[in-house]
Amino acid sequence: MYQNGQLLHKDDQFQDHCDHQVPIQIYHGRHHSDIGYVENYSEVFVKVNNVFYNRRQFTFVSRPGY
């Protein structure tokens, strides 16, 4: 499925992570911001831990097995 550390960009990747409860890690630049499960997403945001992260401002990384 997804490898640990794989960058997420596409809607279908966020949908897979949401459907299968695969955790993601969120970075702002090089700084860790959060880790959790995708609750919802759109073309503009990804909701994790009840926080909306702008897809243009943050980097999303797959963390299966976390």
Side-chain angles (χ1 to χ4, degrees), residues 25-34 57-59:
Q25 193 165 11
I26 303 163
Y27 289 91
H28 188 251
R30 297 178 140 228
H31 301 285
H32 166 79
S33 295
D34 204 353
Q57 224 177 350
F58 292 87
T59 302

Side-chain angles (χ1 to χ4, degrees), residues 46-58:
V46 176
K47 184 179 179 185
V48 174
N49 296 327
N50 212 30
V51 177
F52 294 88
Y53 293 96
N54 189 305
R55 287 174 66 169
R56 295 180 193 105
Q57 224 177 350
F58 292 87

Side-chain angles (χ1 to χ4, degrees), residues 7-66:
L7 296 178
L8 306 175
H9 300 284
K10 300 177 184 176
D11 285 348
D12 61 335
Q13 294 173 319
F14 290 110
Q15 186 63 54
D16 284 345
H17 281 71
C18 186
D19 289 345
H20 301 289
Q21 290 293 287
V22 177
I24 66 169
Q25 193 165 11
I26 303 163
Y27 289 91
H28 188 251
R30 297 178 140 228
H31 301 285
H32 166 79
S33 295
D34 204 353
I35 191 164
Y37 299 99
V38 176
E39 298 169 25
N40 206 338
Y41 68 93
S42 74
E43 65 182 44
V44 178
F45 71 87
V46 176
K47 184 179 179 185
V48 174
N49 296 327
N50 212 30
V51 177
F52 294 88
Y53 293 96
N54 189 305
R55 287 174 66 169
R56 295 180 193 105
Q57 224 177 350
F58 292 87
T59 302
F60 304 92
V61 179
S62 183
R63 293 294 186 213
Y66 176 79

